[in-house]
Amino acid sequence: MEERTVAVVLAAGAGKRMRSDVQKQYLLLRDKPVIYYALKTFQDSFIDEIVLVVGHGETEYCRREIAEKYHFSKITQIVEGGKERYHSVANGLKAVKGEGYVFIHDGARPFLTEEILLRAYDAVKEYHACVVGMPVKDTIKIADEKGFARMTPNRELVWQVQTPQVFSIALAKEAYETLLIKEEELKIQGISITDDAMVVETLLNHPVKLVEGSYENMKITTPEDLNIARSFLKE
């Protein structure tokens, strides 16, 4: 029997780099909000349930203008996020019950496909933790504190990480519960948590498998990104 699959979709970001009063996940692509596209992919896929994590005070708006308007029946819970991204993920995970696998996805990545989901699902069943990404196209430089190039990693080993990031539910919950306990300790050590894989790697020392995503699986962060996304939709 296949195990239960839950998507935790993050729509709580402020989107400060977008230079807009409207949060990036609600900006329109064609005639639909950015977040519609990822939710539609999850809705039409094998995923059993969606937990939508939204900004403070946005629960009813998202229930009415996103879940009900577009008939996303798999959205079973809408919860508020927190101060940082990892607080929002932690709040989403608290709403996830039982065993199975959780797909954590940024709502500002509209070009998710079922093929990506299937590749991640195959990997997580084997490795219990995987992240979607793509090998970088450019040469990467590691800088020192003064802004000089310190080293050049082998480009073939460097990946640009995307979402979804997928874990067994038990592993994700354990990692985030540990993070919240050690949050202040990590800040003192100068460790900044930037993605879910880092939580699992850093706090549980659990290996994370890299899975091929797509170069089009971009995150909309700036006005320029929105223009690129519009050109993708035209294609």
Side-chain angles (χ1 to χ4, degrees):
M1 187 178 75
E2 292 294 311
E3 292 195 70
R4 188 164 147 272
T5 54
V6 182
V8 171
V9 180
L10 304 173
K16 296 170 186 172
R17 284 175 285 181
M18 188 54 75
R19 303 193 296 275
S20 168
D21 293 334
V22 180
Q23 288 162 273
K24 59 191 176 186
Q25 55 270 21
Y26 305 131
L27 290 169
L28 294 183
L29 260 183
R30 290 264 176 96
D31 57 345
K32 302 217 172 38
V34 166
I35 195 168
Y36 162 88
Y37 296 94
L39 290 171
K40 178 80 164 103
T41 299
F42 282 120
Q43 174 72 30
D44 294 344
S45 75
F46 60 87
I47 294 291
D48 297 311
E49 177 185 349
I50 302 168
V51 175
L52 182 58
V53 185
V54 302
H56 179 68
E58 295 174 3
T59 305
E60 283 310 310
Y61 170 84
C62 288
R63 189 182 313 282
R64 184 181 66 251
E65 295 297 324
I66 304 292
E68 293 176 2
K69 181 176 181 177
Y70 297 111
H71 310 291
F72 290 139
S73 58
K74 289 184 180 179
I75 297 179
T76 56
Q77 297 185 73
I78 301 176
V79 300
E80 288 194 2
K83 182 180 177 183
E84 302 291 344
R85 181 188 185 279
Y86 62 85
H87 293 128
S88 295
V89 175
N91 288 356
L93 288 172
K94 286 174 187 171
V96 176
K97 308 300 179 188
E99 298 180 353
Y101 302 104
V102 59
F103 292 64
I104 302 169
H105 187 67
D106 291 325
R109 289 187 187 271
F111 299 114
L112 179 65
T113 64
E114 181 151 21
E115 289 76 20
I116 292 173
L117 293 179
L118 287 167
R119 287 196 291 271
Y121 190 34
D122 286 341
V124 77
K125 286 187 285 188
E126 183 172 356
Y127 302 105
H128 306 289
C130 71
V131 299
V132 166
M134 293 298 287
V136 298
K137 296 178 180 179
D138 300 320
T139 295
I140 302 295
K141 297 286 185 184
I142 305 298
D144 63 16
E145 293 78 6
K146 295 182 179 179
F148 289 93
R150 182 162 59 86
M151 63 175 289
T152 306
N154 182 349
R155 189 170 65 184
E156 294 179 6
L157 301 178
V158 180
W159 281 54
Q160 171 186 331
V161 171
Q162 305 171 346
T163 66
Q165 305 201 1
V166 191
F167 311 92
S168 70
I169 291 172
L171 184 70
K173 281 179 171 284
E174 182 186 358
Y176 271 90
E177 285 164 8
T178 306
L179 172 60
L180 294 181
I181 292 168
K182 295 188 174 182
E183 185 177 1
E184 292 305 317
E185 181 185 326
L186 292 171
K187 283 181 183 175
I188 292 168
Q189 294 174 6
I191 298 173
S192 176
I193 299 295
T194 54
D195 77 338
D196 312 299
M198 192 175 176
V199 182
V200 171
E201 296 160 6
T202 305
L203 297 173
L204 300 186
N205 198 30
H206 193 290
V208 177
K209 180 70 172 172
L210 292 166
V211 177
E212 182 182 333
S214 163
Y215 288 115
E216 288 191 1
N217 185 26
M218 62 182 291
K219 185 175 183 180
I220 295 178
T221 306
T222 66
E224 293 77 17
D225 295 335
L226 200 59
N227 290 333
I228 293 168
R230 285 173 179 144
S231 71
F232 283 165
L233 276 182
K234 285 179 184 175
E235 292 172 15

